[in-house]
Amino acid sequence: MVRVTHLIEQARSKQPSRLVGVGATLWPMVLAVAVGLLMYLLVGPAIGQFQSKILLVIGINIILAVSLTVVNGFTGQFSMGHAAFMAIGGYVAAGVVYYGSLKLFGDMNFAGGRLSHVGAADFVGPLIGKGDFLFLAATLAGGLFAALAGWVVGLPSLRLRGDYLAIVTLGFGEIVRVLLQGTQSQIQPWEAASLGKDAPVWKLPLMLGGPQGFNLLPTYTTLYWVWLWVVLTLVVVYRLKNSSEGRAFLSVREDEIAAQAMGVNVTSYKVRAFTLASFFAGVAGALFAMDIGAINPTDGGFQRSFDIIIMVVLGGLGSISGAVVAAIVITLLPEVLRDLAQYRLILYALALILMMILRPQGLFGVREVWDLALFKKIFRRGGDA
């Protein structure tokens, strides 16, 4: 009760100022663009194509893990269907890019610029092409549709707690998977020549490939776009955690009854957290689909959700930096153990079991990297200097 009261008082004292500088709003975008360009133009070519692919997957997993932290870590809920929102975002973005290219450009071919081309050094063309704007709109559309799905699911189900909520979100994930398997076959590129820009637009959103998945997509995802969204995700979630809204989230995690007694609308804050997390999961799904050029209904299944949950639990429930570190470790560990062939999965599982036994609260618990004593000493020395 004392802990919750302290969080509520912090929330009331952290009211945003009326005079917020334009720089405070623009600097995250500038930073995101800078980091994206750094990864794409310098880091990627320096480490090679295979390592760049792993770095891209790490970025997508960071977005998924950090977004799930908002629900499972900040508000203390237990969602087991996060991959479903990733699948929704991926399918929506794939449909917008694939059929949008057909309606706008007359075909489904790649129409992006250098920032969306894997071999930027060998690509002759503008920095940003017409297809990049369609891809960006598709990514936002995927995030918004996923957020809408999160709101629809969260509004009735987040009145539940614990195992009941986990069962509902798990069931939602399976419903999404089955519905995607029941969609119609997609229009193939060689069939588009007879349709062109006169294709029946009202039928296109339902033609998503069915059980075989949505394939032959133009690939726009590169290190630039992935790490731009990684930075934006981290900035939004970090600011949320340290805002009055974030303090209310944390109070719900500590004690729902005490938080409600202090005036916090528990259900409302749960739904907000669920909607925000679903948005970034949808963005991650869009980046995933436009990376490999295909998305399958099983990408939104339980196994994928379980992998994301492992990242959040391993990093520490409520720790943003912990989720980032865990996403990196979980992504790299199978690659490190790849040479061990049949023993790889056994060692992978054994490492996770040992981690849960020796460090059940996760790598950082509820703390962040900058809260550790080592970093405090470094910052203190730097300030004294």
Side-chain angles (χ1 to χ4, degrees):
M1 182 67 179
V2 175
R3 171 67 174 166
V4 174
T5 304
H6 176 65
L7 290 170
I8 298 301
E9 290 177 351
Q10 283 186 327
R12 291 172 178 171
S13 64
K14 285 179 173 285
Q15 296 300 324
S17 175
R18 294 182 179 180
L19 299 177
V20 180
V22 177
T25 304
L26 294 180
W27 78 258
M29 194 64 193
V30 175
L31 178 63
V33 172
V35 172
L37 290 175
L38 176 66
M39 290 290 184
Y40 182 59
L41 298 178
L42 297 179
V43 177
I47 63 178
Q49 185 174 359
F50 178 73
Q51 289 78 6
S52 297
K53 190 72 171 182
I54 296 177
L55 190 60
L56 187 147
V57 175
I58 287 175
I60 294 176
N61 286 338
I62 288 175
I63 297 174
L64 290 169
V66 172
S67 61
L68 185 59
T69 298
V70 176
V71 176
N72 288 21
F74 290 0
T75 61
Q77 307 308 301
F78 194 68
S79 172
M80 297 183 66
H82 204 56
F85 303 107
M86 171 187 170
I88 291 173
Y91 267 91
V92 169
V96 171
V97 170
Y98 192 78
Y99 293 119
S101 298
L102 172 63
K103 298 295 292 184
L104 297 175
F105 313 140
D107 55 47
M108 294 89 153
N109 298 327
F110 176 81
R114 291 188 61 189
L115 292 179
S116 298
H117 196 274
V118 177
D122 302 329
F123 181 76
V124 179
L127 186 65
I128 298 179
K130 58 184 180 179
D132 294 324
F133 296 102
L134 180 62
F135 167 64
L136 182 59
T139 303
L140 293 174
L144 291 175
F145 269 86
L148 178 61
W151 180 81
V152 171
V153 174
L155 195 59
S157 64
L158 287 180
R159 298 179 184 272
L160 304 174
R161 300 180 185 177
D163 297 340
Y164 299 101
L165 176 61
I167 293 172
V168 169
T169 53
L170 176 62
F172 171 73
E174 291 303 300
I175 290 172
V176 170
R177 180 182 63 82
V178 172
L179 289 178
L180 291 175
Q181 287 179 339
T183 57
Q184 302 176 24
S185 300
Q186 67 186 98
I187 295 177
Q188 300 297 320
W190 51 86
E191 297 174 338
S194 60
L195 297 174
K197 297 183 179 181
D198 297 326
V201 68
W202 59 88
K203 291 185 178 181
L204 298 183
L206 300 177
M207 305 176 73
L208 301 176
Q212 296 181 349
F214 204 171
N215 304 306
L216 304 176
L217 305 173
T219 55
Y220 287 90
T221 300
T222 59
L223 283 174
Y224 170 75
W225 295 111
V226 169
W227 284 92
L228 181 145
W229 278 105
V230 167
V231 173
L232 291 179
T233 303
L234 292 175
V235 170
V236 170
V237 176
Y238 173 78
R239 285 187 168 184
L240 173 65
K241 185 177 182 180
N242 292 278
S243 66
S244 58
E245 297 277 334
R247 297 298 177 183
F249 287 159
L250 298 178
S251 68
V252 173
R253 180 189 69 191
E254 296 296 328
D255 193 325
E256 288 189 21
I257 298 176
Q260 193 167 13
M262 293 296 294
V264 176
N265 190 334
V266 174
T267 303
S268 175
Y269 277 101
K270 286 182 181 179
V271 173
R272 294 181 197 180
F274 211 72
T275 303
L276 180 64
S278 301
F279 171 81
F280 285 112
V283 169
L287 296 173
F288 173 81
M290 295 296 106
D291 169 40
I292 62 177
I295 187 168
N296 195 281
T298 56
D299 293 325
F302 171 72
Q303 183 60 51
R304 183 70 175 184
S305 295
F306 187 68
D307 291 339
I308 305 171
I309 292 172
I310 290 178
M311 297 176 192
V312 176
V313 175
L314 180 63
L317 289 173
S319 175
I320 301 172
S321 51
V324 172
V325 173
I328 296 173
V329 172
I330 293 298
T331 307
L332 290 179
L333 193 57
E335 300 300 329
V336 174
L337 301 175
R338 185 174 295 277
D339 294 336
L340 298 178
Q342 67 267 29
Y343 302 107
R344 179 169 59 93
L345 294 178
I346 298 176
L347 293 175
Y348 175 71
L350 181 61
L352 293 177
I353 293 173
L354 290 175
M355 182 65 194
M356 291 298 100
I357 294 175
L358 300 175
R359 185 78 177 175
Q361 69 271 34
L363 293 173
F364 299 110
V366 297
R367 297 184 298 174
E368 303 293 349
V369 171
W370 47 87
D371 294 331
L372 301 180
L374 175 62
F375 286 89
K376 287 184 178 180
K377 290 181 180 180
I378 296 175
F379 293 147
R380 188 180 299 117
R381 289 177 182 177
D384 294 340

